[in-house]
């Protein structure tokens, strides 16, 4: 059958498929009602996924509109769409609108196909993130005087106990009023016409069960990361004739703290009677790394390698993180001088705070680096505020956003909460009264009168959705919007941050205008979609993620490393208590092991693992991780080290050299100094409202709380 099919393929497809091995080709050509592919790390999972879609569309003539492709990042969905466009440039955005994350596909279904009106919403609803949902819940708790415990963990409690509420249980686990809060919160969200992330899936599931909206194919990437709600969404989306193709690796389940279901493959096979295929051959890592990785496999058969063994895995012992950072700095400079791009080098760690010392040392030695931290709009105050302005402008029922936009302490009109509520509650009445009084006024005078009575920014927000024509002025659209909201005043031009805030807002507005132009949609509709997307994807919507285009060393947590690969990987802090972290149960311990597996399999050619004899972290032992002892001895080179006394002596010498460099710089630049009763006089490194950091000769850098008055700043 397969041979006959290949005979009928176009010549270019035959050429393209020569690159696939037999396992990959079996997966691409499989048309079972349900198929789950157990894809070993580095086995070409993404290639198979893309080739599957190309095959179904171009060879089997399945319309793209009849496929739902579910990924775990918007970036992955974008890469798939980009490959399709290369093959067929005429493909439009509408054809691949159901290619995306679970939440974005649910959002699209609710906007385009499902009757949300039946549940009390309109198609213009907006999306709120879990933090905003928790803030709304706190408002309701205060207004209704509900007794809800552990308010600092309310976001987590709302998600964790919702299923018990739906099952009709009378009381929450904490025996408080949480179950009274749920219906009030749901009613308020309907009133304000907005949904949380979880609502997107729950409401989609509810409507899919009563509507016949079934695609021809559902294709799922990284299926092992699915949580219970996402599995329910899959079940509701799959009709009797819908075919399911899912790809993933159970050995890379590392997100149980997000609710990931650990036995996803078993559930898929049982629930949909899915056929199981495998992709066993790894093309990424050399044989030494793969042999080590096989010692940490928890599911499936041994990973087969396509490459030969090269150099051994290096395990190094350092005295402390400072000495390690200096070593890494020197080693990376050597690698780069030898022709290796900085972007082919990565440093992995278990906890984000481990990057601090690396950043300081790399900066001192002028090594370019990028720290992989997911930034959100909330990390940029001016955007956080302006998004609220836009969200209320697109959805005037969203009282929560209206109040937050008007009461922001740094931007806008800085109203009190009481005044903001008055504006919102009396808006319609005031607008009607103003309209009667200004009926015969000239347009400009009428607008001025309305602004003065209803609040300038508030009036602009309420009129935004009614504005039909833009580009009336002979200026770029982003500047027209900037002027429309009066942002030259709202950003307060006398503040020191004005120039940067203005640049940030204009750049954001350019992205918004480009989005509307690319999607060929009405401006208000495009703005609403853009705002919803910003809630789902944060900064990723308008800021490129760090990638290989920038030649810089990548610093990231082991969780952030998933899905990436580098020529040379340094995995640091492999101490007991750090990697693995102290686990409270067997499942957590198993996940820590999988996390280590993910880290070592990111390396293509070189892998170095290090630990400390003086980690300096509470709960972290001064011995190497037990994982290192599981790597076969013939694969590892445990480097000889001086004794701890020699190491300390070398470190003290190194610190003296650094101290001398700092002293020279201090003399050149008249840098401030500070005095401590125990450590003596040192050089002031940094100072803010809370902390002081000082470098002392013989003691290194120390941080002090200003409130304790331990350090005197020399004048």
């Amino acid at each position: 059958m397969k041979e006959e099919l290949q005979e009928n393929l176009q010549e270019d497809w035959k050429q393209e498929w020569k690159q696939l091995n037999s396992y990959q080709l079996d997966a691409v050509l499989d048309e079972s009602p349900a198929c789950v592919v157990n894809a070993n790390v580095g086995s070409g999972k993404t290639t198979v996924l893309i080739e599957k879609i190309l095959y179904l569309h171009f060879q089997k003539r399945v319309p793209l509109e009849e496929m739902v492709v579910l990924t775990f990042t918007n970036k992955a969905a974008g890469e798939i769409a980009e490959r399709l466009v290369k093959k067929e440039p005429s493909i439009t955005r509408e054809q691949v609108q159901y290619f995306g994350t679970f939440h974005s596909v649910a959002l699209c279904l609710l906007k385009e196909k499902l009757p949300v009106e039946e549940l009390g919403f309109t198609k213009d609803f907006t999306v709120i993130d879990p933090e905003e949902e928790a803030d709304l819940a706190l408002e309701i708790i205060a207004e209704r005087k509900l007794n809800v415990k552990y308010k600092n963990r309310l976001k987590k409690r709302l998600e964790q106990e919702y299923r018990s509420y739906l099952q009709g249980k009378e009381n929450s686990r904490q025996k408080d009023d949480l179950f009274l809060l749920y219906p009030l919160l749901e009613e308020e969200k309907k009133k304000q016409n907005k949904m949380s992330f979880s609502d997107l899936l729950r409401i989609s599931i509810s409507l899919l069960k009563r509507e016949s909206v079934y695609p021809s194919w559902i294709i799922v990437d990284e299926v092992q990361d699915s949580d219970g709600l996402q599995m329910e969404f899959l079940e509701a989306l799959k009709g009797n004739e819908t075919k399911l193709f899912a790809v993933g690796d159970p050995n890379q389940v590392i997100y149980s703290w997000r609710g990931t279901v650990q036995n996803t493959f078993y559930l898929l096979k049982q629930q949909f009677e899915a056929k199981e295929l495998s992709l066993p051959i790894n093309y990424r890592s050399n044989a030494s790394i793969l042999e080590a990785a096989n010692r940490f496999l928890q599911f499936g058969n041994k990973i087969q390698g396509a490459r030969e063994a090269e150099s051994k895995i290096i395990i190094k012992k350092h005295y402390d993180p400072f000495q390690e950072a200096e070593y890494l700095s020197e080693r990376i400079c050597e690698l780069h001088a030898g022709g290796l791009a900085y972007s082919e080098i990565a440093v992995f760690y278990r906890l984000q705070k481990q990057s601090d010392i690396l950043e300081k040392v790399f900066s001192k030695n002028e090594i370019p680096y990028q720290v992989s931290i997911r930034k959100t709009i909330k990390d940029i105050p001016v955007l956080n505020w302006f998004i609220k302005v836009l969200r209320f402008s697109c959805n005037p029922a969203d009282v929560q956003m209206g109040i937050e936009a008007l009461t922001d302490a740094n931007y806008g009109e800085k109203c009190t909460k009481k005044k903001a509520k008055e504006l919102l509650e009396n808006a319609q009445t005031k607008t009607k009264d103003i309209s009667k009084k200004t009926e015969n006024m000239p347009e400009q005078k009428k607008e001025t009168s309305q602004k003065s009575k209803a609040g300038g920014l508030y009036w602009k927000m309420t009129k935004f959705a009614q504005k039909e024509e833009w580009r009336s002025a002979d200026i770029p659209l982003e500047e027209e919007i900037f002027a429309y909201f009066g942002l030259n005043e709202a950003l307060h031009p006398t503040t020191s941050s004005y120039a940067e805030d203005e640049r940030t807002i204009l750049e954001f507005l350019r992205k918004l205008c480009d989005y509307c132009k690319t999607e060929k949609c009405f401006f208000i509709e495009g703005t609403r979609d853009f705002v919803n997307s910003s809630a789902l994807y944060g900064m990723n919507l308008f800021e490129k993620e760090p990638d290989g285009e920038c030649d810089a060393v990548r610093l990231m947590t082991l969780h952030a490393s998933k899905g990436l690969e580098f020529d040379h990987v340094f995995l640091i802090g492999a101490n007991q208590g750090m990697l693995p972290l102290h686990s409270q149960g067997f499942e957590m311990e198993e996940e820590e092991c999988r996390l280590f597996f993910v880290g070592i399999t990111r390396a293509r050619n070189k892998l170095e693992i290090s630990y400390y004899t003086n980690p300096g972290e509470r709960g972290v032992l001064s011995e190497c991780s037990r994982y290192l002892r599981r790597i076969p001895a013939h694969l590892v080179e445990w480097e000889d080290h001086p004794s701890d006394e020699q190491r300390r002596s070398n470190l003290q010498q190194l610190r003296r050299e650094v101290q001398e460099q700092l002293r020279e710089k201090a003399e050149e630049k008249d840098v401030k100094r500070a005095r401590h009763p125990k450590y003596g006089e040192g050089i002031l490194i940094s100072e803010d409202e809370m902390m002081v950091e000082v470098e002392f000769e013989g003691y290194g850098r120390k941080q002090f709380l200003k409130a304790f008055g331990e350090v005197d700043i020399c004048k």
Side-chain angles (χ1 to χ4, degrees):
M1 176 65 181
K2 190 194 302 180
E3 289 75 13
E4 291 178 13
L5 178 61
Q6 286 184 275
E7 285 297 321
N8 296 325
L9 291 175
Q10 297 171 10
E11 193 61 36
D12 60 334
W13 280 87
K14 291 179 182 179
Q15 286 297 117
E16 187 166 346
W17 281 2
K18 281 183 179 179
Q19 301 174 14
L20 302 179
N21 64 38
S22 60
Y23 299 101
Q24 294 171 329
L25 192 56
D26 283 344
V28 170
L29 299 181
D30 186 84
E31 295 184 40
S32 305
C35 177
V36 57
V37 181
N38 190 332
N40 275 338
V41 60
S43 61
K45 169 181 65 66
T46 305
T47 297
V48 166
L49 195 77
I50 293 172
E51 292 298 333
K52 180 80 175 183
I53 298 167
L54 293 172
Y55 165 68
L56 290 175
H57 180 57
F58 293 111
Q59 293 297 317
K60 303 300 290 184
R61 302 302 177 188
V62 178
L64 294 174
E65 299 90 333
E66 293 183 18
M67 293 186 208
V68 169
V69 178
L70 298 167
T71 63
F72 273 80
T73 66
N74 195 43
K75 181 181 178 184
E79 289 173 353
I80 293 170
E82 187 178 325
R83 281 287 304 274
L84 287 168
V85 170
K86 281 184 180 178
K87 194 79 176 177
E88 186 177 298
S90 61
I91 289 174
T92 64
R93 178 68 183 87
E94 288 72 21
Q95 289 178 275
V96 293
Q97 62 181 328
Y98 298 111
F99 287 37
T101 64
F102 279 81
H103 293 102
S104 66
V105 169
L107 173 62
C108 197
L109 286 169
L110 291 168
K111 293 282 189 181
E112 302 293 333
K113 291 191 174 184
L114 297 174
V116 292
E117 297 85 357
E118 293 180 9
L119 297 181
F121 296 91
T122 73
K123 293 291 187 183
D124 295 336
F125 71 85
T126 48
V127 180
I128 58 173
D129 63 33
E131 287 79 12
E132 290 164 345
E133 182 180 33
D135 290 341
L136 184 60
L138 287 171
E139 289 278 340
I140 295 169
I141 290 170
E143 288 176 7
R144 299 299 184 101
K145 296 182 172 55
L146 299 179
N147 173 33
V148 176
K149 299 175 183 177
Y150 305 109
K151 295 185 184 68
N152 60 325
R153 292 193 289 111
L154 184 58
K155 179 179 73 170
K156 196 168 185 178
R157 287 196 66 198
L158 285 171
E159 188 63 36
Q160 288 180 335
E161 301 192 47
Y162 190 74
R163 186 176 293 275
S164 297
Y165 162 72
L166 290 180
Q167 290 172 347
K169 292 187 179 180
E170 294 183 3
N171 291 306
S172 70
R173 285 183 296 181
Q174 304 301 331
K175 309 296 182 185
D176 59 5
D177 292 339
L178 185 68
F179 283 11
L180 296 178
L181 172 64
Y182 280 123
L184 295 172
L185 179 59
E186 288 168 6
E187 190 58 36
E188 188 61 32
K189 284 188 288 187
K190 287 181 184 178
K191 182 180 175 183
Q192 297 193 26
N193 198 30
K194 57 191 183 183
M195 298 183 195
S196 67
F197 292 179
S198 296
D199 291 333
L200 293 174
L201 294 177
R202 290 192 186 110
I203 293 171
S204 294
I205 292 167
S206 175
L207 292 171
L208 283 168
K209 287 178 178 179
R210 62 173 92 163
E211 298 291 326
S212 299
V213 181
Y214 303 126
S216 297
W217 279 82
I218 301 172
I219 297 173
V220 191
D221 188 18
E222 303 283 10
V223 71
Q224 80 278 352
D225 290 330
S226 303
D227 61 28
L229 197 55
Q230 289 164 339
M231 291 292 285
E232 287 182 38
F233 180 74
L234 275 182
E235 184 181 5
L237 191 59
K238 188 181 184 307
N240 293 331
E241 302 300 319
T242 302
K243 292 185 178 182
L244 173 67
F245 181 81
V247 182
D249 181 3
N251 289 295
Q252 296 190 65
V253 177
I254 58 173
Y255 296 117
S256 64
W257 45 277
R258 292 182 184 173
T260 297
V261 178
Q262 297 211 14
N263 56 347
T264 306
F265 276 65
Y266 174 79
L267 292 175
L268 284 171
K269 286 192 289 183
Q270 293 298 311
Q271 189 168 350
F272 302 114
E273 298 181 354
K275 175 182 179 180
E276 183 173 8
L277 297 176
S278 65
L279 301 178
I281 302 175
N282 177 290
Y283 292 95
R284 176 190 300 156
S285 305
N286 68 48
S288 300
I289 294 170
L290 290 184
E291 188 176 346
N294 276 318
R295 295 302 179 99
F296 299 91
L297 276 182
Q298 295 175 1
F299 305 95
N301 299 320
K302 176 180 169 182
I303 304 173
Q304 301 173 30
R307 299 175 54 197
E308 296 181 357
E310 294 183 14
S311 57
K312 292 185 176 183
I313 297 169
I314 305 297
I315 298 180
K316 292 186 71 68
K317 177 174 67 174
H318 297 289
Y319 177 68
D320 65 4
F322 174 78
Q323 187 212 22
E324 177 186 61
E326 290 287 351
Y327 162 76
L328 288 173
S329 177
E330 182 179 342
R331 183 79 179 101
I332 288 169
C333 287
E334 289 176 0
L335 291 171
H336 186 63
L340 188 63
Y342 285 122
S343 58
E344 284 291 349
I345 304 170
V347 183
F348 300 158
Y349 34 79
R350 180 64 181 85
L351 302 174
Q352 188 63 61
K353 63 181 178 180
Q354 290 175 261
S355 74
D356 292 346
I357 194 165
L358 296 173
E359 293 177 57
K360 292 176 182 177
V361 173
F362 285 11
S363 294
K364 182 190 76 173
N365 291 290
E366 299 181 341
I367 295 175
Y369 66 88
Q370 289 181 332
V371 184
S372 295
I373 302 176
R374 176 175 166 78
K375 293 184 72 177
T376 69
I377 286 170
K378 292 186 177 180
D379 295 317
I380 306 174
V382 70
L383 282 184
N384 187 32
W385 168 75
F386 187 59
I387 280 287
K388 292 172 183 175
V389 171
L390 287 179
R391 285 170 64 179
F392 180 73
S393 299
C394 294
N395 178 17
D398 192 348
V399 175
Q400 179 189 10
M401 287 301 104
I403 291 174
E404 290 187 19
L406 291 170
T407 59
D408 190 278
N410 299 311
Y411 303 102
E413 298 180 351
K414 301 183 182 181
C415 294
T416 62
K417 198 166 188 178
K418 181 179 178 182
K419 182 180 177 183
K421 283 185 175 180
E422 285 178 2
L423 280 172
L424 295 170
E425 289 170 1
N426 302 323
Q428 291 183 344
T429 305
K430 286 188 175 183
T431 303
K432 288 177 183 177
D433 291 343
I434 292 168
S435 297
K436 288 180 182 178
K437 292 178 181 178
T438 60
E439 207 167 313
N440 298 316
M441 286 184 184
E443 196 64 32
Q444 187 174 359
K445 194 172 181 181
K446 183 190 297 186
E447 182 175 311
T448 304
S449 175
Q450 289 175 329
K451 283 184 188 179
S452 63
K453 294 181 182 294
L457 179 62
Y458 171 74
W459 185 85
K460 290 290 188 182
M461 290 192 293
T462 56
K463 296 294 182 184
F464 182 77
Q466 301 170 24
K467 188 173 173 62
E468 296 179 1
E469 291 294 329
W470 292 91
R471 303 305 297 267
S472 56
D474 190 22
I475 57 174
L477 181 54
E478 63 269 16
E479 293 182 22
E480 185 178 352
I481 300 168
F482 192 93
Y484 171 82
F485 282 111
L487 295 183
N488 55 335
E489 294 180 6
L491 300 183
H492 304 295
T494 57
T495 60
S496 59
S497 63
Y498 177 81
E500 178 64 20
D501 289 343
E502 180 186 38
R503 184 196 64 76
T504 301
I505 291 290
L506 284 171
E507 178 61 24
F508 175 79
L509 287 173
R510 283 188 201 99
K511 295 290 183 182
L512 168 59
C513 297
D514 289 345
Y515 177 87
C516 295
K517 189 185 300 180
T518 302
E519 300 302 316
K520 298 178 182 178
C521 53
F522 293 113
F523 183 72
I524 301 302
E525 177 190 339
T527 302
R528 189 179 292 113
D529 290 345
F530 192 76
V531 167
N532 283 336
S533 296
S534 71
L536 287 174
Y537 304 123
M539 288 289 291
N540 294 337
L541 182 69
F542 52 90
E543 183 176 273
K544 283 188 177 180
E545 293 180 339
D547 55 28
E549 294 178 9
C550 178
D551 192 25
V553 178
R554 295 289 297 277
L555 309 180
M556 65 185 71
T557 63
L558 285 166
H559 281 98
S561 73
K562 187 168 176 290
L564 303 175
E565 59 181 78
F566 302 91
D567 182 88
H568 202 121
V569 167
F570 296 93
L571 202 168
I572 68 173
N575 286 66
Q576 280 298 115
M578 179 74 79
L579 184 61
L581 291 178
H582 293 296
S583 301
Q584 298 177 355
F586 176 74
E587 289 186 356
M588 288 181 64
E589 168 61 30
E590 290 285 280
E591 183 156 327
E592 287 291 309
C593 184
R594 292 193 294 270
L595 192 58
F596 184 78
F597 169 84
V598 167
I600 64 177
T601 54
R602 301 306 98 194
R604 289 196 294 268
N605 296 312
K606 304 287 184 180
L607 175 63
E608 291 190 32
I609 307 174
S610 58
Y611 66 100
Y612 320 116
T613 58
N614 182 32
E617 283 286 336
R618 184 178 179 182
V620 180
L621 304 181
S622 58
E623 61 185 61
C624 71
S625 168
R626 58 180 175 273
Y627 295 160
L628 303 188
R629 301 296 179 185
R630 288 170 62 175
I631 302 175
H634 68 277
L635 300 176
V636 176
E637 182 179 331
W638 293 76
E639 291 202 345
D640 293 329
H641 301 281
S643 66
D644 283 348
E645 287 185 8
Q646 290 175 310
R647 187 67 72 185
R648 291 190 191 96
S649 176
N650 292 341
L651 180 61
Q652 288 172 359
Q653 176 62 30
L654 181 61
R655 283 177 170 164
R656 279 196 291 271
E657 291 175 3
V658 172
Q659 180 72 24
E660 185 61 33
Q661 292 173 6
L662 288 170
R663 186 181 293 109
E664 290 174 1
K665 289 181 180 179
E667 291 173 357
E668 292 174 6
K669 300 181 180 180
D670 194 26
V671 174
K672 288 185 179 180
R673 306 180 71 82
R675 179 175 294 280
H676 186 273
K678 177 180 176 181
Y679 305 119
E681 189 172 299
I683 296 171
L684 182 65
I685 302 299
S686 64
E687 178 184 12
D688 58 30
E689 295 179 357
M690 296 285 292
M691 302 290 294
V692 173
E693 185 177 15
V694 184
E695 177 86 23
F696 297 100
E697 184 173 0
Y699 295 99
R701 294 189 181 188
K702 304 287 182 182
Q703 291 184 330
F704 307 94
L705 283 168
K706 278 189 171 182
F708 293 159
E710 299 175 272
V711 179
D712 293 325
I713 308 299
C714 302
K715 303 296 184 183

